[in-house]
Amino acid sequence: MADSARQLRLGAFLMATGHHVAAWRHPEVPVDPLDFSVYRRVAQVAEAACFDALFVADSAAVFDGPFASHTARSVYFEPLTLHAALSAITERIGLVATVTTSYNEPYHVARQFASLDHLSGGRSGWNLVTSDLAAEAQNFGRDEHLGHAERYARAREFHRVVTGLWDSWADDAFLRDKASGRFYDPDRLHVLDHRGEHFKVRGPLNVARSPQGRPVVVQAGSSETGRELAAETAEVVFTAQTSLAKAQAFYADLKGRLGQYGRGEDALKIMPGVFVVPGQSESEAKEKFEAFQELVEPQVGVALLGRMLGNFDLSEYPLDGPLPELPLTDSGQRSRQQLLTELAGAENLTLAQLGRRIAGGRGHHSLIGTPRQIADELQAWFEERAADGFNVLVPHLPGGLEDFAALVVPELQRRGLFRREYQGRTLREHLGLARPNNPFFA
Amino acid sequence: MADSARQLRLGAFLMATGHHVAAWRHPEVPVDPLDFSVYRRVAQVAEAACFDALFVADSAAVFDGPFASHTARSVYFEPLTLHAALSAITERIGLVATVTTSYNEPYHVARQFASLDHLSGGRSGWNLVTSDLAAEAQNFGRDEHLGHAERYARAREFHRVVTGLWDSWADDAFLRDKASGRFYDPDRLHVLDHRGEHFKVRGPLNVARSPQGRPVVVQAGSSETGRELAAETAEVVFTAQTSLAKAQAFYADLKGRLGQYGRGEDALKIMPGVFVVPGQSESEAKEKFEAFQELVEPQVGVALLGRMLGNFDLSEYPLDGPLPELPLTDSGQRSRQQLLTELAGAENLTLAQLGRRIAGGRGHHSLIGTPRQIADELQAWFEERAADGFNVLVPHLPGGLEDFAALVVPELQRRGLFRREYQGRTLREHLGLARPNNPFFA
């Protein structure tokens, strides 16, 4: 029985039609990634199951590589507008949106997340990413994406500006005194006046300090630079880890970096992604998964593989040949490239087999089995310091999330590992993260 | 009795706490501009009254001039997130958000409005503006705002990029054929590859063509350049007109410009702002209005006046002296400056009196009276080619809109001037605007 004081956190990682690349072809799966009613259903299921948050990935471009037209990944809702819509029809669940620092203005980003935090009563989170695709760069006046170092330098400064803007107003700045006519106290307003290498932003933000003080900052970088940025600035980290040992090493490494920034271990929650397909029996789970696998066209799997390895076009290589040697790129996929190269070598997989292998979990740990088997694994990772919680990837939406909520969540609750009802109102409260003080009004 | 085929359109122009600068001090007015429940109520009232749209103004900065702390204008929801939230709790009403072209990337703007159009089932509109405040420029890396000509050149190109991105996909691009695995037809995807003076944007947009084809484009510029841009690109124009004759001249001028762009008169709807305070009797209406006027601190009115005239600080001038001569600025307020200078001269108003005069309607035509009086005036403007409809400004929210819905709307309906129920589903349908063809797939 787990210590009831420490419970795991669960995020529902949403991707239109689901994480399995062939999900949309499954007869049970709604096929329009721009159908809001699917997200409405997903949000309701996740909230009824007491998930901490809904996470939405993003890219600011169409993936138009080989066989892109055979996937359902080309069009989708923009994350901030989607989450704002969901905020109006949910009460408790957190809403984490991915927004890149590479091609945005910090003032807009600070403002939209603060606005979402007010709209949702303190449930917004920002998945801070950098952009590594030429296709994105080309939508914003550039020919190529920024180099890894410059992306991260910009991201670090971007974070500083955004958090500074979030702190523009003291929590008690607004007097709203009808009698005297004083709406706010000008002494409780801070002008940031940031002048840095990448940004010059005066402020203040035209949104009051938000219910959470600051929206929760999420990151996913696992390079050395990415870990260091996370240790300094992230409050939640997503990560792809394929074994308990590797996840433990990552966990220890990242938690170990917090001290140098004066942060305690609890200030950052590590949530590996897990691709989960539960069934009443192990064979039922495997059959469910196989039903998706059978729908994967080999070229679609290989195209997905190429993207994951650093945006390579692998369509010229034979499907039944080995994974070719690929140059290390600057696109921030180094750890994934290593992981997949090892996997291909260890099991002697052809290109097509490797493509099919990542068609569901895309390199995340896969758990296909009974609720008990799945809960055993999650519990082990949680108790053995590999994870503070998990970002749950399901093959299809909304069905995969319904399965997880119906089968796995009750098993976790029975073990005392997961809440039966929300205790708090804000995403910070769900995650056990303190509300940040405003350093300008200490 | 009006021709039942031609009906007027009504927009509810929202500003937190209401348009009257002292609204927040009134005992009946909710005092938190970041309280979503107020907007929820406003949206429900406006939708029940069959308004065409909710319009939200915007600025990307805090107005921190003299006596700013005595107004409720400093913090508010960011318009796109606000409207996305409202989209989930409304069914029919249009949602028009103001977003500047001066400090944004067209890819993000195209994407968020297209996303909102999908979320709302075809109800989004973009109020395309340029930014004329140094305070905004300074939040985006600049010291001063762009000059008038450059702002408009950028806006025109911005519009071209955004509409081009909205047309990235043919309406029938998405096959979603589960059997063959073809999700879309690559021949029905257009790569914009825009290379202009201000922007280089490859595309395509990662949002499917939206229910309205393109969100409705709204503008409010009334300078020569602004009118010409509107004639070429706008589908709705807001305007401040203080008399029937002036409104008729504006209407004739703008409609007269459409032909050169191959556009018919009906392709652009002109909706002057009207500040409306209805009462069961004329004296009741006047009393209502006076209750707000009494709450205006003289310095607050003068500060508002200074902003409207082109961001001048008038706090050094005597309150009981005349409006000083002011230089014409480049901030796009020329027509307003002229209008207010004439008004001050004609009625021999002191600075404080002029400030108080614009505290409610801010230069818009004011209608304070019985429903019949108000409807007479709206009908005259509508039938005598001064307006296709009106953007309704109310002193306070939600109360002012409740008054308008309860008193004025039924009178307009009785006269056959306004719908009793929605006929269409999209904002375009409400406004009588055609769904644009996609020129890339004609």
Side-chain angles (χ1 to χ4, degrees):
Chain A
M1 182 80 186
D3 176 4
S4 68
R6 183 173 176 248
Q7 293 209 319
L8 58 80
R9 293 83 170 72
L10 293 179
F13 194 0
L14 308 187
M15 194 173 245
T17 76
H19 278 268
H20 197 286
V21 74
W24 72 273
R25 299 187 63 192
H26 193 283
E28 281 171 24
V29 177
V31 77
D32 183 358
L34 290 161
D35 178 353
F36 181 62
S37 71
V38 175
Y39 282 94
R40 191 185 282 266
R41 170 76 186 149
V42 162
Q44 285 162 349
V45 169
E47 189 165 68
C50 298
F51 270 77
D52 292 75
L54 301 169
F55 294 109
V56 182
D58 193 46
S59 169
V62 169
F63 289 118
D64 49 2
F67 272 79
S69 65
H70 285 238
T71 74
R73 303 270 183 254
S74 309
V75 294
Y76 38 88
F77 289 114
E78 183 282 327
L80 276 161
T81 45
L82 173 62
H83 273 329
L86 291 174
S87 76
I89 55 165
T90 52
E91 297 284 334
R92 297 293 190 100
I93 197 163
L95 303 164
V96 179
T98 301
V99 171
T100 183
T101 54
S102 299
Y103 310 114
N104 268 304
E105 290 284 350
Y107 197 87
H108 292 313
V109 171
R111 198 179 167 209
Q112 293 198 316
F113 277 102
S115 186
L116 179 60
D117 209 45
H118 282 281
L119 287 168
S120 63
R123 298 186 281 132
S124 83
W126 172 30
N127 182 24
L128 180 167
V129 300
T130 69
S131 292
D132 61 8
L133 292 173
E136 293 178 298
Q138 290 162 9
N139 289 331
F140 301 96
R142 298 179 54 92
D143 294 318
E144 268 305 320
H145 66 79
L146 304 171
H148 190 267
E150 191 186 346
R151 280 207 309 279
Y152 273 89
R154 186 181 157 101
R156 184 175 298 236
E157 188 179 334
F158 200 111
H159 174 272
R160 196 169 304 136
V161 178
V162 166
T163 50
L165 289 171
W166 283 338
D167 292 339
S168 293
W169 301 86
D171 285 310
D172 61 0
F174 292 93
L175 311 168
R176 304 189 191 102
D177 181 2
K178 294 188 185 223
S180 72
R182 292 177 74 207
F183 191 75
Y184 67 82
D185 178 354
D187 293 337
R188 309 297 281 168
L189 168 59
H190 178 257
V191 176
L192 185 63
D193 215 4
H194 173 90
R195 288 155 194 269
E197 196 178 331
H198 299 86
F199 303 106
K200 193 171 78 173
V201 181
R202 181 175 180 273
L205 195 65
N206 56 359
V207 183
R209 200 156 194 262
S210 73
Q212 294 188 103
R214 300 174 185 170
V216 174
V217 174
V218 180
Q219 283 168 43
S222 50
S223 66
E224 175 61 28
T225 324
R227 290 183 195 205
E228 210 55 34
L229 179 64
E232 184 180 353
T233 64
E235 301 176 284
V236 174
V237 163
F238 298 160
T239 174
Q241 300 295 336
T242 47
S243 72
L244 176 60
K246 284 181 185 169
Q248 286 172 319
F250 179 84
Y251 188 97
D253 175 85
L254 192 48
K255 296 269 181 175
R257 293 172 192 244
L258 295 170
Q260 65 185 307
Y261 297 105
R263 306 179 70 198
E265 278 218 345
D266 284 345
L268 185 154
K269 309 298 176 186
I270 298 177
M271 297 174 68
V274 281
F275 177 75
V276 184
V277 185
Q280 298 286 4
S281 64
E282 194 177 330
S283 62
E284 186 194 285
K286 287 185 173 159
E287 275 164 32
K288 268 194 211 173
F289 179 61
E290 278 308 316
F292 291 105
Q293 291 292 86
E294 282 166 16
L295 296 170
V296 181
E297 293 175 273
Q299 297 94 330
V300 170
V302 170
L304 179 65
L305 182 65
R307 285 215 295 275
M308 287 185 58
L309 288 170
N311 309 305
F312 291 103
D313 179 355
L314 301 178
S315 60
E316 299 302 314
Y317 297 93
L319 291 167
D320 57 357
L323 178 66
E325 295 234 359
L326 297 169
L328 271 175
T329 71
D330 189 31
S331 71
Q333 309 294 338
R334 184 186 292 246
S335 54
R336 251 193 215 157
Q337 191 169 341
Q338 196 176 358
L339 191 150
L340 292 171
T341 306
E342 281 172 20
L343 174 67
E347 304 193 21
N348 203 22
L349 300 175
T350 68
L351 204 52
Q353 286 169 331
L354 188 61
R356 177 167 293 195
R357 182 68 69 90
I358 52 95
R362 340 176 137 223
H364 287 274
H365 193 45
S366 282
L367 300 176
I368 299 164
T370 64
R372 180 173 297 187
Q373 289 171 322
I374 292 167
D376 282 350
E377 189 83 357
L378 299 181
Q379 182 165 3
W381 282 44
F382 177 61
E383 292 180 348
E384 293 170 36
R385 294 181 58 79
D388 296 313
F390 300 92
N391 217 1
V392 176
L393 289 65
V394 297
H396 61 307
L397 287 171
L401 200 64
E402 289 166 345
D403 285 352
F404 188 89
L407 298 171
V408 182
V409 168
E411 179 64 26
L412 295 172
Q413 288 169 334
R414 230 175 341 260
R415 298 180 187 202
L417 289 167
F418 191 60
R419 65 176 72 87
R420 289 174 189 274
E421 52 189 41
Y422 289 106
Q423 305 301 313
R425 287 247 157 224
T426 69
L427 176 56
R428 286 189 177 280
E429 287 166 357
H430 304 335
L431 292 170
L433 292 167
R435 187 177 191 279
N437 291 323
N438 188 333
F440 304 128
F441 303 98
Chain B
M1 182 80 187
D3 175 4
S4 68
R6 185 174 175 247
Q7 294 208 319
L8 58 80
R9 294 83 170 72
L10 292 180
F13 194 0
L14 307 186
M15 195 172 246
T17 77
H19 278 268
H20 197 287
V21 74
W24 72 272
R25 299 187 64 192
H26 193 282
E28 282 170 25
V29 177
V31 77
D32 182 358
L34 290 161
D35 178 353
F36 181 61
S37 71
V38 175
Y39 283 94
R40 190 185 283 265
R41 170 77 186 147
V42 162
Q44 285 161 348
V45 169
E47 189 164 68
C50 298
F51 270 77
D52 293 74
L54 301 169
F55 294 108
V56 182
D58 194 45
S59 169
V62 168
F63 290 117
D64 49 2
F67 272 78
S69 65
H70 285 239
T71 74
R73 304 269 182 257
S74 310
V75 294
Y76 37 89
F77 289 115
E78 183 281 327
L80 277 160
T81 44
L82 173 61
H83 273 329
L86 291 174
S87 76
I89 55 165
T90 51
E91 297 284 335
R92 298 293 190 100
I93 197 164
L95 303 164
V96 180
T98 301
V99 172
T100 182
T101 54
S102 299
Y103 310 113
N104 268 304
E105 289 284 350
Y107 198 88
H108 292 313
V109 172
R111 197 179 167 208
Q112 293 198 315
F113 277 102
S115 186
L116 178 60
D117 209 46
H118 281 282
L119 287 167
S120 62
R123 298 186 283 132
S124 83
W126 172 30
N127 182 25
L128 180 167
V129 301
T130 70
S131 292
D132 60 10
L133 293 174
E136 292 179 298
Q138 290 163 8
N139 289 330
F140 301 96
R142 297 180 54 92
D143 294 319
E144 267 304 321
H145 65 79
L146 304 172
H148 190 268
E150 191 186 347
R151 280 208 310 280
Y152 273 89
R154 185 181 157 101
R156 185 176 296 237
E157 187 180 334
F158 200 112
H159 174 272
R160 196 169 304 136
V161 177
V162 167
T163 51
L165 289 170
W166 282 338
D167 292 339
S168 292
W169 301 85
D171 285 310
D172 61 0
F174 293 92
L175 311 169
R176 304 189 191 102
D177 181 4
K178 293 188 185 223
S180 71
R182 292 177 73 206
F183 190 75
Y184 68 81
D185 177 353
D187 294 338
R188 309 296 282 167
L189 168 60
H190 179 257
V191 177
L192 185 64
D193 216 5
H194 173 90
R195 288 155 195 270
E197 197 177 333
H198 300 85
F199 302 105
K200 194 171 78 172
V201 181
R202 181 174 179 273
L205 194 65
N206 54 1
V207 183
R209 200 156 193 260
S210 73
Q212 294 188 103
R214 300 174 184 170
V216 174
V217 173
V218 180
Q219 284 168 43
S222 51
S223 67
E224 175 61 29
T225 324
R227 290 183 194 205
E228 209 55 34
L229 180 64
E232 184 180 354
T233 63
E235 301 176 284
V236 174
V237 163
F238 298 160
T239 174
Q241 301 295 335
T242 47
S243 72
L244 175 60
K246 284 182 185 168
Q248 286 171 319
F250 179 84
Y251 188 97
D253 175 84
L254 192 48
K255 295 270 180 173
R257 293 174 192 243
L258 295 170
Q260 66 187 306
Y261 297 105
R263 306 179 71 198
E265 278 218 345
D266 284 347
L268 184 154
K269 311 297 177 186
I270 298 177
M271 297 174 67
V274 280
F275 177 75
V276 184
V277 185
Q280 298 285 4
S281 64
E282 194 176 330
S283 62
E284 186 194 286
K286 287 185 173 159
E287 274 163 34
K288 268 196 212 174
F289 179 62
E290 278 308 315
F292 291 105
Q293 290 293 84
E294 280 165 18
L295 297 169
V296 181
E297 294 174 273
Q299 299 93 330
V300 170
V302 170
L304 179 65
L305 183 64
R307 284 217 295 277
M308 285 187 57
L309 289 171
N311 308 306
F312 292 102
D313 179 355
L314 301 178
S315 60
E316 300 300 314
Y317 296 94
L319 289 166
D320 56 359
L323 178 66
E325 293 234 0
L326 297 169
L328 272 175
T329 70
D330 189 31
S331 71
Q333 309 293 339
R334 182 186 291 245
S335 54
R336 249 192 216 159
Q337 192 168 340
Q338 197 176 357
L339 192 150
L340 292 171
T341 306
E342 282 170 20
L343 175 66
E347 304 192 21
N348 204 20
L349 300 175
T350 67
L351 204 52
Q353 287 168 330
L354 188 61
R356 176 167 293 193
R357 183 68 68 89
I358 51 94
R362 337 176 141 224
H364 288 273
H365 194 45
S366 282
L367 301 176
I368 299 163
T370 64
R372 181 173 297 187
Q373 289 171 322
I374 292 168
D376 283 349
E377 189 83 356
L378 298 181
Q379 182 166 3
W381 283 44
F382 177 61
E383 293 181 346
E384 294 170 35
R385 294 181 59 79
D388 296 313
F390 300 93
N391 217 1
V392 177
L393 289 66
V394 296
H396 61 308
L397 287 171
L401 200 64
E402 290 166 345
D403 285 352
F404 188 89
L407 298 172
V408 182
V409 168
E411 180 63 27
L412 295 173
Q413 289 170 333
R414 230 176 338 262
R415 298 180 187 203
L417 289 167
F418 191 60
R419 66 176 72 86
R420 289 172 189 275
E421 53 190 41
Y422 289 107
Q423 305 299 314
R425 287 248 156 224
T426 69
L427 176 56
R428 286 189 177 281
E429 288 166 356
H430 304 335
L431 293 170
L433 292 167
R435 187 177 191 278
N437 292 323
N438 188 333
F440 303 129
F441 302 98

